[in-house]
Amino acid sequence: QKEVEQNSGPLSVPEGAIASLNCTYSDRGSQSFFWYRQYSGKSPELIMSIYSNGDKEDGRFTAQLNKASQYVSLLIRDSQPSDSATYLCAVRTGFQKLVFGTGTRLLVSP
Amino acid sequence: DTEVTQTPKHLVMGMTNKKSLKCEQHMGHRAMYWYKQKAKKPPELMFVYSYEKLSINESVPSRFSPECPNSSLLNLHLHALQPEDSALYLCASSQGGGNQPQHFGDGTRLSIL
């Protein structure tokens, strides 16, 4: 079983819709969770970090964490074509070790 | 532009060359990282420096040699690389604690001839 799993997509949504990206992880002791956005040919850019169960909102982005289910999600409201990118879920599995999922490619059509 | 600066942005080298990748941050972060990313794959951790000491080496071949001259600088020395080492090399930094997010530089795209 992979440590961090994501659906590779692509996830296609129309402009203005809500995009829902999901991630599961295997290490029950994980405490820190991050979402990164990566445009093609560019480096990962931090979008959200979440450490406690529940929701965390930042602008159009909401991260959701459920440690009992070992599940993290990212919601993007009012999706824009500029949101089209690969979204990487990252989980801290050791003191400084970050493990990335394979990423979900999001396509937002005008 | 990011607050983690990597040079060069692109590098083409032969298998017998020696070159170095450089990374610099001025955010006062005490942990710095090297990752390797192949096309359509996630970043893979190579090395972690914490307070200028090597804390994690993910069994990386010795043809990759990291160096941390001070808390703001991180180098990756390359020697006798193989074509399969062609990839995007990413540097990241964090404040130090494991809970702190890592911030990435723009990367160096390396091609081995």
Side-chain angles (χ1 to χ4, degrees), chain B residues 4-24:
Chain B
V4 179
T5 303
Q6 291 188 242
T7 55
K9 293 193 183 303
H10 302 275
L11 179 62
V12 179
M13 57 186 288
M15 289 189 285
T16 59
N17 293 155
K18 286 185 180 181
K19 296 286 185 183
S20 297
L21 308 184
K22 297 186 183 302
C23 176
E24 188 170 5

Side-chain angles (χ1 to χ4, degrees), chain A residues 32 36 38 43 51 92 95 97, chain B residues 37 42 58 98-99 102 105:
Chain A
S32 308
Y36 287 84
Q38 188 170 26
S43 64
Y51 308 104
R92 183 174 69 85
F95 176 62
K97 185 172 180 179
Chain B
Q37 186 176 26
E58 290 287 283
N99 276 344
Q102 297 178 20

Side-chain angles (χ1 to χ4, degrees), chain B residues 14-57:
Chain B
M15 289 189 285
T16 59
N17 293 155
K18 286 185 180 181
K19 296 286 185 183
S20 297
L21 308 184
K22 297 186 183 302
C23 176
E24 188 170 5
Q25 59 88 12
H26 293 290
M27 295 181 283
H29 289 176
R30 302 316 300 264
M32 296 185 76
Y33 311 78
W34 280 116
Y35 288 85
K36 173 183 177 180
Q37 186 176 26
K38 303 281 279 185
K40 300 190 186 303
K41 298 290 186 183
E44 293 180 1
L45 183 65
M46 301 174 71
F47 302 103
V48 180
Y49 273 83
S50 181
Y51 292 85
E52 302 166 44
K53 294 189 186 307
L54 183 65
S55 60
I56 296 178
N57 176 340

Side-chain angles (χ1 to χ4, degrees), chain B residues 79-92:
Chain B
H79 174 55
L81 295 194
Q82 304 298 308
E84 60 266 26
D85 297 322
S86 297
L88 180 66
Y89 287 84
L90 294 161
C91 175

Side-chain angles (χ1 to χ4, degrees), chain A:
Chain A
Q1 181 185 7
K2 292 182 181 178
E3 292 187 78
V4 181
E5 296 204 49
Q6 296 180 255
N7 188 321
S8 61
L11 173 66
S12 295
V13 300
E15 184 174 357
I18 295 175
S20 178
L21 304 160
N22 304 315
C23 171
T24 59
Y25 59 94
S26 60
D27 183 353
R28 187 170 288 278
S30 298
Q31 296 294 322
S32 308
F33 308 87
F34 307 93
W35 283 99
Y36 287 84
R37 176 175 63 196
Q38 188 170 26
Y39 292 111
S40 181
K42 301 296 185 181
S43 64
E45 173 191 8
L46 180 71
I47 297 177
M48 296 279 287
S49 56
I50 187 166
Y51 308 104
S52 304
N53 281 329
D55 295 358
K56 179 181 178 182
E57 186 175 321
D58 184 0
R60 294 187 298 114
F61 299 98
T62 298
Q64 299 175 317
L65 174 61
N66 184 326
K67 291 184 180 179
S69 300
Q70 296 174 244
Y71 177 90
V72 192
S73 65
L74 180 69
L75 300 178
I76 306 175
R77 290 181 299 281
D78 189 23
S79 295
Q80 301 297 308
S82 58
D83 295 325
S84 298
T86 296
Y87 289 80
L88 297 164
C89 173
V91 178
R92 183 174 69 85
T93 61
F95 176 62
Q96 286 170 319
K97 185 172 180 179
L98 206 57
V99 176
F100 287 85
T102 53
T104 297
R105 192 158 68 98
L106 173 65
L107 297 176
V108 182
S109 54

